[in-house]
Amino acid sequence: MSEVLPKNNIFKVIGASSLGTLIEWYDFYIFGSLAVIIGHQLFPEDAGASALINTLAIFAAGFIVRPFGALVFGRLGDLIGRKYTFLLTLVLMGGSTFLIGLIPSYKTIGYAAPILVLILRLIQGLALGGEYGGAATYVAEHAPKNKRGFFTSWIQTTATLGLFLSLGVIVITKNILGAELFGDWGWRIPFLLSILLVVVSIYIRLKMHESPMFSKLKSEGKVSKNPLKESFNNKANFKMVLLALFGATMGQGVIWYTGQFYAQSFLENTCKLDFNDSRYILLWGIAFATPFFVVFGAWSDKVGRKWIMLSGMLLGIIFYRPIYKIFLNDTNPDNYGDVKTFSALQGSPKVIPLINTNDSLRTVETKVTLTNGFGYTSIHTDTLTNNGGILPAADVLKDKVLPTPIFWKFVGLIFFQILLVTMVYGPIAAFLVELFPTKIRYTSMSLPYHIGNGVFGGLVPFIATLIASFAGSTPLSGLWYPIGIATLSLIIGTIYLSNKADESIND
């Protein structure tokens, strides 16, 4: 029998576990939220679009190593306990994040800058690989049987709230410092601030007690001597690992990262929305949708986990392309009314001599406002040749600001995508915990979770952006990656997953 804690105690367990996990997600996601600015810091000025792709690759590297972190820290968690293992992951994550904020730019140390950041991202990925499984297992092993989905769903909110917190700190810092100072050195502040949050969380976690189920197992001398071998050499258990990966977490992962990270990247880099607008849209969408993690987690206690998760995948498959097509259409000024005002920006035009030639580049930046309130900055560049000729280039539009009705329309579309995230993610912790026995639970559930989320899901921004950059591709081409993965997971899950809830986890 599990030890059922009084309600006030279980909420203390959830609070202590969730705070540390939220901070780890905050640390992990600052990098993705600042990918464009960090790319300018880590690579040469003339790197162009490759700077963003390379930065997203460094971001993705942290996801790729998460399964290895799951193996390393999952083994420790099943050998020495849940508490001290995810205390260690918190220290590693916080230290790495703080150091990223201190690394000099490419101008100072050259390619050593992206290499050092890559190393720290790998450490972050390893730490996060051990954090989630520990927190979810810890809460589940304290929770009463008939409310396991409800209580573990609070852990599920931390990933999205960590993203919310990272976006909020970034927006506040940028608005206080201004765009120029923030792009120069202010982007480091969100990284450095994380150390304060980590110290508070470490203090709280030191006061936590070990999971009652693990303590009972340890007192009876039944702790696994080789969690990796027992998890993956046991045919029946390994089958459950594969089923969890391909039938659930793989599809859940791509829905999660499409609805939040790729959405932000698409709005900022493809639609060219203003920095603040793109983040405010995501912040509002997250704020409205986050409570549904708990709603769907609690509902899964009553109707089972399977169909809630698979329904979220199906809706993503159906609606992703229409949603992103709306994003493109509604940020295209050609689809709106007449121009209202033109105003040249300060310092425009700029004339810069080209190296090793007698030609020059003349750049004119103009702020344009349309009759419906839509606004953007137009950058027009001419090459002035040494014989007096002019070679014009196509205008580039950036910093688009949406009219109020379109802004809230976008918030609604982001809300819908994050609602799908809550459907696939809210019940997943309880689903995974119920698949595996106590003595190898940390190891067994962590691996499929972090392959599904860290590899298949975490690669969404990088792979989707890369696909869309290929010759002949359209801006919507990148969506075929998450749609394809979600479709495969939906088929496997529909055929092979069982719709159970409240399975015993006391073995």
Side-chain angles (χ1 to χ4, degrees):
M1 294 289 293
S2 68
E3 178 182 329
V4 179
L5 297 178
K7 185 174 288 187
N8 62 330
N9 286 347
I10 186 64
F11 278 110
K12 287 180 181 178
V13 168
I14 291 170
S17 301
S18 298
L19 177 62
T21 307
L22 183 150
I23 291 169
E24 289 217 29
W25 284 116
Y26 164 83
D27 286 355
F28 200 71
Y29 288 145
I30 299 172
F31 194 96
S33 301
L34 292 172
V36 174
I37 292 174
I38 293 174
H40 293 315
Q41 295 288 328
L42 297 183
F43 296 99
E45 291 182 358
D46 59 357
S50 67
L52 175 61
I53 292 176
N54 289 335
T55 305
L56 289 175
I58 293 175
F59 180 58
F63 291 95
I64 293 172
V65 298
R66 275 170 57 180
F68 298 101
L71 292 176
V72 172
F73 293 106
R75 178 178 179 274
L76 286 176
D78 285 327
L79 285 174
I80 67 173
R82 290 39 168 145
K83 171 184 173 179
Y84 290 105
T85 300
F86 64 69
L87 187 62
L88 175 59
T89 64
L90 182 63
V91 173
L92 289 174
M93 176 67 79
S96 299
T97 304
F98 182 76
L99 290 174
I100 288 176
L102 297 178
I103 288 178
S105 67
Y106 174 87
K107 292 179 180 178
T108 304
I109 60 173
Y111 281 107
I115 292 172
L116 289 173
V117 170
L118 174 61
I119 292 170
L120 293 173
R121 281 294 297 171
L122 294 176
I123 295 173
Q124 284 186 322
L126 290 171
L128 192 60
E131 167 66 22
Y132 173 83
T137 300
Y138 188 78
V139 171
E141 290 178 351
H142 280 87
K145 176 184 174 183
N146 62 341
K147 291 189 175 180
R148 194 176 300 124
F150 170 69
F151 284 124
T152 57
S153 66
W154 290 93
I155 290 292
Q156 305 308 92
T157 67
T158 60
T160 294
L161 289 175
L163 175 59
F164 182 91
L165 181 61
S166 71
L167 291 170
V169 171
I170 288 166
V171 168
I172 291 170
T173 306
K174 182 176 181 289
N175 287 343
I176 291 174
L177 296 179
E180 186 174 346
L181 287 179
F182 185 79
D184 184 24
W185 58 267
W187 63 272
R188 299 178 183 275
I189 292 176
F191 287 94
L192 300 177
L193 282 177
S194 71
I195 200 67
L196 301 176
L197 303 175
V198 170
V199 169
V200 172
S201 186
I202 289 173
Y203 174 77
I204 293 173
R205 283 196 171 181
L206 282 171
K207 294 181 174 295
M208 295 167 65
H209 299 289
E210 186 53 81
S211 151
M213 289 186 187
F214 184 83
S215 297
K216 182 174 182 293
L217 208 65
K218 192 172 183 179
S219 67
E220 295 173 350
K222 296 180 180 179
V223 174
S224 174
K225 293 181 174 59
N226 192 334
L228 294 178
K229 183 177 181 180
E230 291 184 45
S231 293
F232 308 121
N233 272 10
N234 181 298
K235 185 176 180 180
N237 197 76
F238 188 58
K239 179 182 177 181
M240 288 294 100
V241 170
L242 294 178
L243 183 58
L245 169 59
F246 294 109
T249 63
M250 181 175 72
Q252 172 256 305
V254 296
I255 296 294
W256 204 105
Y257 285 96
T258 302
Q260 297 181 124
F261 264 102
Y262 187 63
Q264 178 192 323
S265 177
F266 191 88
L267 290 175
E268 184 178 1
N269 301 312
T270 303
C271 298
K272 304 296 183 183
L273 275 194
D274 172 73
F275 182 94
N276 281 349
D277 256 22
S278 64
R279 282 154 180 80
Y280 286 141
I281 288 168
L282 205 61
L283 284 168
W284 279 112
I286 290 172
F288 291 140
T290 295
F292 287 92
F293 284 107
V294 179
V295 171
F296 288 117
W299 193 26
S300 75
D301 286 327
K302 297 178 173 60
V303 302
R305 328 291 184 198
K306 171 181 175 176
W307 293 114
I308 296 175
M309 296 188 297
L310 296 186
S311 296
M313 295 180 204
L314 177 61
L315 291 171
I317 293 165
I318 294 171
F319 287 106
Y320 276 159
R321 284 182 64 86
I323 287 172
Y324 284 77
K325 188 172 183 180
I326 291 173
F327 285 155
L328 283 176
N329 289 339
D330 285 358
T331 53
N332 183 353
D334 293 339
N335 294 331
Y336 293 117
D338 296 332
V339 172
K340 185 177 181 181
T341 59
F342 285 97
S343 58
L345 296 182
Q346 186 176 3
S348 183
K350 295 178 181 177
V351 178
I352 302 174
L354 292 174
I355 299 174
N356 299 325
T357 72
N358 292 320
D359 300 339
S360 300
L361 284 181
R362 180 178 63 192
T363 303
V364 179
E365 294 191 23
T366 306
K367 184 66 177 177
V368 181
T369 305
L370 308 186
T371 52
N372 68 342
F374 186 95
Y376 59 90
T377 299
S378 173
I379 303 175
H380 179 80
T381 303
D382 295 320
T383 300
L384 308 179
T385 63
N386 60 357
N387 59 6
I390 299 176
L391 303 175
D395 289 1
V396 175
L397 308 185
K398 68 172 187 175
D399 297 337
K400 299 175 183 177
V401 177
L402 300 174
T404 299
I406 302 300
F407 176 90
W408 288 108
K409 179 181 178 180
F410 278 29
V411 169
L413 294 174
I414 292 295
F415 164 78
F416 176 75
Q417 291 184 72
I418 301 177
L419 185 67
L420 304 188
V421 172
T422 67
M423 293 177 70
V424 298
Y425 199 55
I428 197 79
F431 166 79
L432 291 172
V433 164
E434 291 166 351
L435 283 181
F436 305 107
T438 302
K439 67 177 183 177
I440 55 171
R441 180 171 293 130
Y442 200 147
T443 303
S444 296
M445 73 166 285
S446 292
L447 185 66
Y449 174 82
H450 285 293
I451 293 177
N453 284 266
V455 178
F456 289 102
L459 289 176
V460 167
F462 171 67
I463 292 180
T465 302
L466 186 63
I467 291 173
S469 70
F470 291 156
S473 295
T474 70
L476 300 180
S477 297
L479 290 168
W480 288 121
Y481 171 70
I483 288 173
I485 296 297
T487 301
L488 180 60
S489 192
L490 175 65
I491 294 170
I492 295 172
T494 299
I495 296 171
Y496 294 107
L497 288 186
S498 61
N499 190 38
K500 297 179 181 179
D502 290 332
E503 290 292 288
S504 173
I505 63 170
N506 299 319
D507 51 347

